[in-house]
């Protein structure tokens, strides 16, 4: 009881009083958006490698020394069907690096370009805290100089419309208040209470980028969105993607009422009714095939001084809450205990409430929309629900398998845009019942190329066959005149070494997926992990060419047509890398 009281701003009395009024509103069927007129807000919609994209990516990079990151990782992988912490999964079987490691490599790559590795704050929950901390400890914080962890607490569950608390007998035989997660909106009040924001400001942070746990491609949107945020002096900039009409993702909309407006995410279940109330519907624009409203990825950038000032307001960072009780047929009794919930993307309501003295009301909120293939690869659903979503003609399976395939596609599309000869991957095959892209599978680490400009510079005049696999890591790698038909791993792990791959012809049997058998999916099979079962397949490495310059190496290394790794500027002898 006392910990529940201490964890909630204003304590349990404040929680119960809010719960009573929200329950009354919910049970009377009140529409939270009643009276608002939705319209498409102004923002930037960017085509990859367009002049606007290139310019915003580069202006974002010049402001990136002021970035800090917040990763919300309190959610359980229930929908994904994974019992461990989701950030410990690997988005790409080809590299085996975890989501957290993938994000860390983006931060380290930013640090290598700006001279300052951004701080990372991770929000965990009671469900994920131990797992996230274990992962950080095991990997030495992934080499990041500053990682902070804030932990959200659950809130009291509600037994009835009067705001009565739900009780149950706990494991120790004592009667306890039932608790439930409060939602990712907790991140704002936790950051406020943590005292981290003034520390980040003192360390040079000007903008905080908020990321979700399992969308590896989200980092591709950060620099252009930062360019938009800084250029437009925006207090909040959502990183969006074109939204498939009707899909289960929110939309960023400008909601006007009485001469004022707020630009905010409207969840998909509320968007349709809101649009229909105005005579429209959640349908595609025939010109683009997408909803006219940009799709919310729940990744966004907040300007730090405005954010800190807003959180210092009377709400102490508690974003607007909602309650969604499931009722019995009598319309009075709860089927199961409910609780107040809150969402991080509802922050603009707080901005709007902020007084004029702090620069409000309203706040300047905008968006940067990037191609879906570039910055959207969510892994949220189990294989079964992904298969059902596909069968229902949904916007994407949203499984680990589809997310992995989308990531490889993005790597291949980036190379195509940089002039590398390859056939555009197409959705076709299925693995574990999920449709994936056929075509080269490419993972370009952020350390290798953070921007399109860097990629064009570092990867030239090459050709890659459709059944190839390629992973590249290291800022000092350069690849030209490569002919790849197989699996190739290129790594230069030392900042004091360079690796030039020029004229290499790499042909081998490569890698392939092997679907797990029904027995293996059932569990207990030796060598098959829970992660493998969440994916539904394993990667079989038949033959690989691996070119690795280790982290202790110094000097210039080169690989030519014959695949031998040689050290330049010295004798013609094999260097310290591995090439097989
Ligand atoms: N999370 C927490 O840290 N704590 C919590 O208590 C709960 C979650 P979900 P959701 O990308 O398609 C969002 O559950 O809320 C973290 C948007 O609202 O995966 O269903 C959790 O670890 C929706 O508009 O997402 O839906 C994860 O990192 C749409 O954009 C993050 O919060 C949708 O995402 C999101 O949690 C989407």
């Amino acid at each position: 009881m006392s910990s529940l009281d201490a964890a909630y701003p204003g304590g349990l009395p404040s929680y119960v009083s809010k719960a009573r009024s929200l329950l009354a509103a919910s049970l009377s069927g009140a529409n939270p958006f009643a009276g608002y007129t939705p319209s498409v807000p102004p923002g930037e919609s960017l085509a990859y490698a367009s002049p606007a994209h290139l310019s915003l990516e580069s202006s974002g990079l010049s402001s990136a020394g002021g970035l800090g990151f917040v990763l919300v990782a309190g959610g359980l992988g229930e929908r994904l069907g994974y019992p461990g912490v989701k950030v410990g999964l690997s988005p790409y079987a080809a590299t085996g690096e975890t989501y957290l490691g993938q994000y860390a490599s983006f931060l380290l790559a930013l640090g290598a370009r700006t001279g300052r590795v951004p701080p990372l704050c991770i929000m965990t929950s009671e469900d994920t805290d131990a797992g996230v901390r274990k992962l950080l400890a095991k990997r030495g914080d992934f080499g990041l100089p500053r990682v902070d962890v804030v932990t959200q607490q659950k809130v009291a569950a509600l037994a009835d419309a009067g705001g009565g608390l739900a009780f149950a007998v706990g494991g120790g035989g004592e009667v306890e208040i039932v608790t439930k997660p409060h939602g990712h909106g907790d991140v704002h009040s936790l950051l406020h209470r943590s005292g981290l924001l003034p520390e980040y400001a003192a360390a040079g942070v000007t903008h905080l980028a908020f990321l979700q746990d399992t969308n590896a491609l989200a980092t591709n949107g950060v620099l252009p969105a930062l360019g938009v945020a800084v250029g437009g002096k925006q207090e909040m900039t959502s990183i969006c993607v074109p939204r498939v009409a009707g899909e289960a993702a929110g939309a960023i909309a400008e909601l006007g009422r009485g001469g004022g407006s707020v630009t905010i995410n409207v969840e998909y279940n509320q968007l349709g009714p809101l649009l229909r109330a105005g005579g429209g519907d959640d349908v595609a624009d025939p010109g683009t095939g997408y909803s006219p409203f940009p799709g919310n990825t729940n990744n966004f950038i907040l300007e730090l001084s405005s954010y800190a000032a807003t959180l210092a307001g009377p709400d102490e960072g508690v974003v607007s809450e909602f309650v969604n009780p499931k009722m019995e047929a009598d319309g009075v009794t709860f089927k199961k205990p409910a609780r107040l919930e809150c969402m991080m993307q509802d922050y603009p309501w707080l901005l709007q409430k902020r007084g004029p003295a702090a620069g409000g009301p309203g706040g300047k909120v905008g968006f940067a929309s990037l191609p879906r293939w570039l910055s959207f690869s969510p892994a949220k659903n189990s294989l079964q629900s992904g298969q059902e979503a596909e069968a229902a003609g949904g916007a994407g399976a949203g499984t680990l398998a589809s997310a992995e395939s989308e990531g490889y596609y993005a790597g291949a599309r980036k190379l195509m845009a940089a002039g590398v000869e390859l056939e555009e991957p197409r959705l076709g095959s299925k693995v574990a019942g999920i449709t994936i892209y056929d075509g080269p599978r490419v993972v370009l680490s952020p350390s290798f190329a953070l921007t399109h400009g860097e990629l064009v510079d570092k990867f030239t005049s090459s050709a890659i066959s459709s059944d190839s696999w390629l992973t590249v890591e290291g800022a000092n790698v350069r690849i030209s005149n490569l002919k790849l038909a197989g699996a190739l791993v290129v790594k230069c792990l030392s900042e004091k070494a360079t690796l030039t791959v020029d004229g290499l012809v790499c042909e081998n049997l490569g890698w392939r997926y092997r679907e797990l058998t029904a027995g293996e999916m059932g569990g207990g099979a030796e060598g098959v992990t829970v992660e493998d079962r969440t994916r539904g397949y394993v990667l079989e490495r038949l033959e690989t060419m691996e070119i690795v310059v280790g982290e202790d190496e110094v000097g210039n290394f080169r690989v030519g047509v014959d695949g031998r790794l040689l050290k330049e500027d010295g004798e013609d002898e094999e260097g310290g890398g591995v090439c097989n």
Side-chain angles (χ1 to χ4, degrees), residues 418-443:
V420 173
E421 211 179 293
L422 57 87
E423 210 169 297
E424 183 180 345
R426 302 240 168 254
L427 283 172
S429 303
K430 279 192 185 248
V431 64
I434 301 296
T435 310
I436 56 166
Y437 286 98
D438 293 317
R441 274 113 194 191
V442 178
V443 184

PDB file of all heavy atoms in Angstrom, residues 418-443:
ATOM      1  N   ALA A 418      22.280   3.774 -53.214  1.00  0.00           N
ATOM      2  CA  ALA A 418      23.678   4.221 -53.285  1.00  0.00           C
ATOM      3  C   ALA A 418      24.333   3.750 -54.589  1.00  0.00           C
ATOM      4  O   ALA A 418      25.537   3.941 -54.778  1.00  0.00           O
ATOM      5  CB  ALA A 418      24.448   3.691 -52.081  1.00  0.00           C
ATOM      6  N   GLY A 419      23.565   3.093 -55.447  1.00  0.00           N
ATOM      7  CA  GLY A 419      24.087   2.722 -56.769  1.00  0.00           C
ATOM      8  C   GLY A 419      24.617   1.305 -56.862  1.00  0.00           C
ATOM      9  O   GLY A 419      25.173   0.917 -57.889  1.00  0.00           O
ATOM     10  N   VAL A 420      24.447   0.507 -55.816  1.00  0.00           N
ATOM     11  CA  VAL A 420      24.903  -0.885 -55.878  1.00  0.00           C
ATOM     12  C   VAL A 420      23.907  -1.670 -56.733  1.00  0.00           C
ATOM     13  O   VAL A 420      22.690  -1.473 -56.635  1.00  0.00           O
ATOM     14  CB  VAL A 420      25.013  -1.489 -54.457  1.00  0.00           C
ATOM     15  CG1 VAL A 420      25.314  -2.981 -54.520  1.00  0.00           C
ATOM     16  CG2 VAL A 420      26.092  -0.764 -53.670  1.00  0.00           C
ATOM     17  N   GLU A 421      24.474  -2.556 -57.581  1.00  0.00           N
ATOM     18  CA  GLU A 421      23.626  -3.316 -58.497  1.00  0.00           C
ATOM     19  C   GLU A 421      23.001  -4.485 -57.748  1.00  0.00           C
ATOM     20  O   GLU A 421      23.716  -5.393 -57.279  1.00  0.00           O
ATOM     21  CB  GLU A 421      24.548  -3.879 -59.593  1.00  0.00           C
ATOM     22  CG  GLU A 421      23.922  -4.039 -60.932  1.00  0.00           C
ATOM     23  CD  GLU A 421      24.981  -4.568 -61.892  1.00  0.00           C
ATOM     24  OE1 GLU A 421      25.953  -3.826 -62.183  1.00  0.00           O
ATOM     25  OE2 GLU A 421      24.859  -5.726 -62.286  1.00  0.00           O
ATOM     26  N   LEU A 422      21.708  -4.452 -57.598  1.00  0.00           N
ATOM     27  CA  LEU A 422      21.004  -5.606 -57.019  1.00  0.00           C
ATOM     28  C   LEU A 422      19.535  -5.505 -57.387  1.00  0.00           C
ATOM     29  O   LEU A 422      19.024  -4.428 -57.682  1.00  0.00           O
ATOM     30  CB  LEU A 422      21.187  -5.693 -55.497  1.00  0.00           C
ATOM     31  CG  LEU A 422      20.782  -4.518 -54.614  1.00  0.00           C
ATOM     32  CD1 LEU A 422      19.312  -4.600 -54.235  1.00  0.00           C
ATOM     33  CD2 LEU A 422      21.598  -4.562 -53.329  1.00  0.00           C
ATOM     34  N   GLU A 423      18.871  -6.659 -57.363  1.00  0.00           N
ATOM     35  CA  GLU A 423      17.461  -6.668 -57.710  1.00  0.00           C
ATOM     36  C   GLU A 423      16.647  -6.312 -56.471  1.00  0.00           C
ATOM     37  O   GLU A 423      16.903  -6.863 -55.390  1.00  0.00           O
ATOM     38  CB  GLU A 423      17.079  -8.066 -58.195  1.00  0.00           C
ATOM     39  CG  GLU A 423      15.956  -8.023 -59.199  1.00  0.00           C
ATOM     40  CD  GLU A 423      15.788  -9.385 -59.851  1.00  0.00           C
ATOM     41  OE1 GLU A 423      16.731  -9.849 -60.528  1.00  0.00           O
ATOM     42  OE2 GLU A 423      14.731  -9.977 -59.634  1.00  0.00           O
ATOM     43  N   GLU A 424      15.681  -5.409 -56.624  1.00  0.00           N
ATOM     44  CA  GLU A 424      14.909  -5.002 -55.447  1.00  0.00           C
ATOM     45  C   GLU A 424      14.202  -6.212 -54.822  1.00  0.00           C
ATOM     46  O   GLU A 424      13.500  -6.946 -55.518  1.00  0.00           O
ATOM     47  CB  GLU A 424      13.864  -3.958 -55.830  1.00  0.00           C
ATOM     48  CG  GLU A 424      13.112  -3.495 -54.606  1.00  0.00           C
ATOM     49  CD  GLU A 424      12.046  -2.445 -54.893  1.00  0.00           C
ATOM     50  OE1 GLU A 424      12.062  -1.853 -55.980  1.00  0.00           O
ATOM     51  OE2 GLU A 424      11.202  -2.254 -54.001  1.00  0.00           O
ATOM     52  N   PRO A 425      14.393  -6.445 -53.530  1.00  0.00           N
ATOM     53  CA  PRO A 425      13.710  -7.570 -52.893  1.00  0.00           C
ATOM     54  C   PRO A 425      12.187  -7.423 -52.987  1.00  0.00           C
ATOM     55  O   PRO A 425      11.669  -6.305 -52.952  1.00  0.00           O
ATOM     56  CB  PRO A 425      14.163  -7.477 -51.436  1.00  0.00           C
ATOM     57  CG  PRO A 425      15.415  -6.666 -51.470  1.00  0.00           C
ATOM     58  CD  PRO A 425      15.258  -5.704 -52.600  1.00  0.00           C
ATOM     59  N   ARG A 426      11.511  -8.545 -53.133  1.00  0.00           N
ATOM     60  CA  ARG A 426      10.042  -8.538 -53.237  1.00  0.00           C
ATOM     61  C   ARG A 426       9.477  -9.480 -52.189  1.00  0.00           C
ATOM     62  O   ARG A 426      10.055 -10.529 -51.910  1.00  0.00           O
ATOM     63  CB  ARG A 426       9.591  -9.067 -54.603  1.00  0.00           C
ATOM     64  CG  ARG A 426      10.131  -8.305 -55.755  1.00  0.00           C
ATOM     65  CD  ARG A 426       9.004  -7.691 -56.612  1.00  0.00           C
ATOM     66  NE  ARG A 426       9.581  -6.731 -57.542  1.00  0.00           N
ATOM     67  CZ  ARG A 426       9.485  -5.405 -57.430  1.00  0.00           C
ATOM     68  NH1 ARG A 426       8.824  -4.873 -56.446  1.00  0.00           N
ATOM     69  NH2 ARG A 426      10.045  -4.603 -58.311  1.00  0.00           N
ATOM     70  N   LEU A 427       8.320  -9.117 -51.648  1.00  0.00           N
ATOM     71  CA  LEU A 427       7.638 -10.019 -50.717  1.00  0.00           C
ATOM     72  C   LEU A 427       7.215 -11.258 -51.483  1.00  0.00           C
ATOM     73  O   LEU A 427       6.658 -11.148 -52.573  1.00  0.00           O
ATOM     74  CB  LEU A 427       6.404  -9.337 -50.125  1.00  0.00           C
ATOM     75  CG  LEU A 427       6.656  -8.306 -49.026  1.00  0.00           C
ATOM     76  CD1 LEU A 427       5.375  -7.583 -48.682  1.00  0.00           C
ATOM     77  CD2 LEU A 427       7.252  -8.953 -47.788  1.00  0.00           C
ATOM     78  N   GLY A 428       7.502 -12.427 -50.957  1.00  0.00           N
ATOM     79  CA  GLY A 428       7.167 -13.633 -51.709  1.00  0.00           C
ATOM     80  C   GLY A 428       7.162 -14.867 -50.847  1.00  0.00           C
ATOM     81  O   GLY A 428       6.105 -15.401 -50.503  1.00  0.00           O
ATOM     82  N   SER A 429       8.336 -15.322 -50.430  1.00  0.00           N
ATOM     83  CA  SER A 429       8.414 -16.579 -49.668  1.00  0.00           C
ATOM     84  C   SER A 429       7.761 -16.436 -48.307  1.00  0.00           C
ATOM     85  O   SER A 429       7.540 -15.320 -47.835  1.00  0.00           O
ATOM     86  CB  SER A 429       9.877 -16.937 -49.401  1.00  0.00           C
ATOM     87  OG  SER A 429      10.564 -17.039 -50.579  1.00  0.00           O
ATOM     88  N   LYS A 430       7.553 -17.585 -47.717  1.00  0.00           N
ATOM     89  CA  LYS A 430       7.070 -17.574 -46.331  1.00  0.00           C
ATOM     90  C   LYS A 430       8.065 -18.327 -45.477  1.00  0.00           C
ATOM     91  O   LYS A 430       8.645 -19.324 -45.929  1.00  0.00           O
ATOM     92  CB  LYS A 430       5.731 -18.281 -46.231  1.00  0.00           C
ATOM     93  CG  LYS A 430       4.568 -17.390 -46.649  1.00  0.00           C
ATOM     94  CD  LYS A 430       3.253 -18.011 -46.260  1.00  0.00           C
ATOM     95  CE  LYS A 430       2.105 -17.187 -46.789  1.00  0.00           C
ATOM     96  NZ  LYS A 430       1.319 -16.533 -45.800  1.00  0.00           N
ATOM     97  N   VAL A 431       8.278 -17.857 -44.272  1.00  0.00           N
ATOM     98  CA  VAL A 431       9.031 -18.640 -43.306  1.00  0.00           C
ATOM     99  C   VAL A 431       8.211 -18.645 -42.023  1.00  0.00           C
ATOM    100  O   VAL A 431       7.710 -17.591 -41.594  1.00  0.00           O
ATOM    101  CB  VAL A 431      10.483 -18.111 -43.109  1.00  0.00           C
ATOM    102  CG1 VAL A 431      10.522 -16.714 -42.526  1.00  0.00           C
ATOM    103  CG2 VAL A 431      11.298 -19.061 -42.260  1.00  0.00           C
ATOM    104  N   ALA A 432       8.030 -19.826 -41.471  1.00  0.00           N
ATOM    105  CA  ALA A 432       7.189 -20.007 -40.283  1.00  0.00           C
ATOM    106  C   ALA A 432       5.812 -19.350 -40.475  1.00  0.00           C
ATOM    107  O   ALA A 432       5.267 -18.747 -39.545  1.00  0.00           O
ATOM    108  CB  ALA A 432       7.894 -19.449 -39.053  1.00  0.00           C
ATOM    109  N   GLY A 433       5.309 -19.412 -41.707  1.00  0.00           N
ATOM    110  CA  GLY A 433       3.970 -18.895 -41.981  1.00  0.00           C
ATOM    111  C   GLY A 433       3.910 -17.390 -42.161  1.00  0.00           C
ATOM    112  O   GLY A 433       2.827 -16.824 -42.321  1.00  0.00           O
ATOM    113  N   ILE A 434       5.050 -16.711 -42.143  1.00  0.00           N
ATOM    114  CA  ILE A 434       5.084 -15.254 -42.277  1.00  0.00           C
ATOM    115  C   ILE A 434       5.736 -14.897 -43.608  1.00  0.00           C
ATOM    116  O   ILE A 434       6.799 -15.427 -43.962  1.00  0.00           O
ATOM    117  CB  ILE A 434       5.897 -14.616 -41.116  1.00  0.00           C
ATOM    118  CG1 ILE A 434       5.282 -14.980 -39.761  1.00  0.00           C
ATOM    119  CG2 ILE A 434       6.015 -13.103 -41.288  1.00  0.00           C
ATOM    120  CD1 ILE A 434       3.880 -14.464 -39.513  1.00  0.00           C
ATOM    121  N   THR A 435       5.117 -13.986 -44.348  1.00  0.00           N
ATOM    122  CA  THR A 435       5.656 -13.592 -45.653  1.00  0.00           C
ATOM    123  C   THR A 435       6.895 -12.724 -45.461  1.00  0.00           C
ATOM    124  O   THR A 435       6.878 -11.771 -44.675  1.00  0.00           O
ATOM    125  CB  THR A 435       4.592 -12.794 -46.443  1.00  0.00           C
ATOM    126  OG1 THR A 435       3.384 -13.536 -46.413  1.00  0.00           O
ATOM    127  CG2 THR A 435       5.034 -12.570 -47.879  1.00  0.00           C
ATOM    128  N   ILE A 436       7.943 -13.079 -46.194  1.00  0.00           N
ATOM    129  CA  ILE A 436       9.194 -12.315 -46.065  1.00  0.00           C
ATOM    130  C   ILE A 436       9.680 -11.882 -47.460  1.00  0.00           C
ATOM    131  O   ILE A 436       9.173 -12.363 -48.469  1.00  0.00           O
ATOM    132  CB  ILE A 436      10.307 -13.127 -45.367  1.00  0.00           C
ATOM    133  CG1 ILE A 436      10.561 -14.450 -46.116  1.00  0.00           C
ATOM    134  CG2 ILE A 436       9.955 -13.378 -43.915  1.00  0.00           C
ATOM    135  CD1 ILE A 436      11.837 -15.134 -45.712  1.00  0.00           C
ATOM    136  N   TYR A 437      10.645 -10.998 -47.466  1.00  0.00           N
ATOM    137  CA  TYR A 437      11.225 -10.522 -48.731  1.00  0.00           C
ATOM    138  C   TYR A 437      12.201 -11.543 -49.287  1.00  0.00           C
ATOM    139  O   TYR A 437      13.025 -12.100 -48.557  1.00  0.00           O
ATOM    140  CB  TYR A 437      11.973  -9.207 -48.506  1.00  0.00           C
ATOM    141  CG  TYR A 437      11.074  -8.027 -48.318  1.00  0.00           C
ATOM    142  CD1 TYR A 437      10.770  -7.554 -47.041  1.00  0.00           C
ATOM    143  CD2 TYR A 437      10.516  -7.376 -49.412  1.00  0.00           C
ATOM    144  CE1 TYR A 437       9.930  -6.467 -46.865  1.00  0.00           C
ATOM    145  CE2 TYR A 437       9.676  -6.283 -49.241  1.00  0.00           C
ATOM    146  CZ  TYR A 437       9.387  -5.837 -47.974  1.00  0.00           C
ATOM    147  OH  TYR A 437       8.559  -4.757 -47.805  1.00  0.00           O
ATOM    148  N   ASP A 438      12.105 -11.752 -50.605  1.00  0.00           N
ATOM    149  CA  ASP A 438      13.133 -12.516 -51.314  1.00  0.00           C
ATOM    150  C   ASP A 438      14.104 -11.498 -51.897  1.00  0.00           C
ATOM    151  O   ASP A 438      13.688 -10.527 -52.523  1.00  0.00           O
ATOM    152  CB  ASP A 438      12.509 -13.311 -52.468  1.00  0.00           C
ATOM    153  CG  ASP A 438      11.590 -14.399 -51.936  1.00  0.00           C
ATOM    154  OD1 ASP A 438      11.981 -15.064 -50.967  1.00  0.00           O
ATOM    155  OD2 ASP A 438      10.478 -14.552 -52.480  1.00  0.00           O
ATOM    156  N   GLY A 439      15.379 -11.738 -51.704  1.00  0.00           N
ATOM    157  CA  GLY A 439      16.373 -10.778 -52.210  1.00  0.00           C
ATOM    158  C   GLY A 439      17.541 -10.765 -51.275  1.00  0.00           C
ATOM    159  O   GLY A 439      17.541 -11.473 -50.257  1.00  0.00           O
ATOM    160  N   PRO A 440      18.556  -9.975 -51.568  1.00  0.00           N
ATOM    161  CA  PRO A 440      19.725  -9.966 -50.707  1.00  0.00           C
ATOM    162  C   PRO A 440      19.377  -9.502 -49.298  1.00  0.00           C
ATOM    163  O   PRO A 440      18.546  -8.607 -49.131  1.00  0.00           O
ATOM    164  CB  PRO A 440      20.666  -8.962 -51.376  1.00  0.00           C
ATOM    165  CG  PRO A 440      19.929  -8.332 -52.464  1.00  0.00           C
ATOM    166  CD  PRO A 440      18.663  -9.071 -52.705  1.00  0.00           C
ATOM    167  N   ARG A 441      19.990 -10.156 -48.321  1.00  0.00           N
ATOM    168  CA  ARG A 441      19.741  -9.789 -46.917  1.00  0.00           C
ATOM    169  C   ARG A 441      20.953  -9.009 -46.421  1.00  0.00           C
ATOM    170  O   ARG A 441      22.053  -9.551 -46.346  1.00  0.00           O
ATOM    171  CB  ARG A 441      19.545 -11.047 -46.086  1.00  0.00           C
ATOM    172  CG  ARG A 441      18.120 -11.533 -46.102  1.00  0.00           C
ATOM    173  CD  ARG A 441      17.944 -12.827 -46.789  1.00  0.00           C
ATOM    174  NE  ARG A 441      16.521 -13.060 -47.061  1.00  0.00           N
ATOM    175  CZ  ARG A 441      16.025 -14.207 -47.462  1.00  0.00           C
ATOM    176  NH1 ARG A 441      16.820 -15.226 -47.681  1.00  0.00           N
ATOM    177  NH2 ARG A 441      14.748 -14.335 -47.693  1.00  0.00           N
ATOM    178  N   VAL A 442      20.719  -7.751 -46.119  1.00  0.00           N
ATOM    179  CA  VAL A 442      21.842  -6.843 -45.857  1.00  0.00           C
ATOM    180  C   VAL A 442      21.658  -6.163 -44.500  1.00  0.00           C
ATOM    181  O   VAL A 442      20.587  -5.633 -44.217  1.00  0.00           O
ATOM    182  CB  VAL A 442      21.904  -5.750 -46.961  1.00  0.00           C
ATOM    183  CG1 VAL A 442      23.031  -4.764 -46.686  1.00  0.00           C
ATOM    184  CG2 VAL A 442      22.055  -6.389 -48.330  1.00  0.00           C
ATOM    185  N   VAL A 443      22.700  -6.192 -43.675  1.00  0.00           N
ATOM    186  CA  VAL A 443      22.697  -5.410 -42.429  1.00  0.00           C
ATOM    187  C   VAL A 443      23.914  -4.488 -42.445  1.00  0.00           C
ATOM    188  O   VAL A 443      25.058  -4.952 -42.428  1.00  0.00           O
ATOM    189  CB  VAL A 443      22.763  -6.296 -41.166  1.00  0.00           C
ATOM    190  CG1 VAL A 443      22.645  -5.434 -39.914  1.00  0.00           C
ATOM    191  CG2 VAL A 443      21.660  -7.353 -41.169  1.00  0.00           C
TER     192      VAL A 443
END
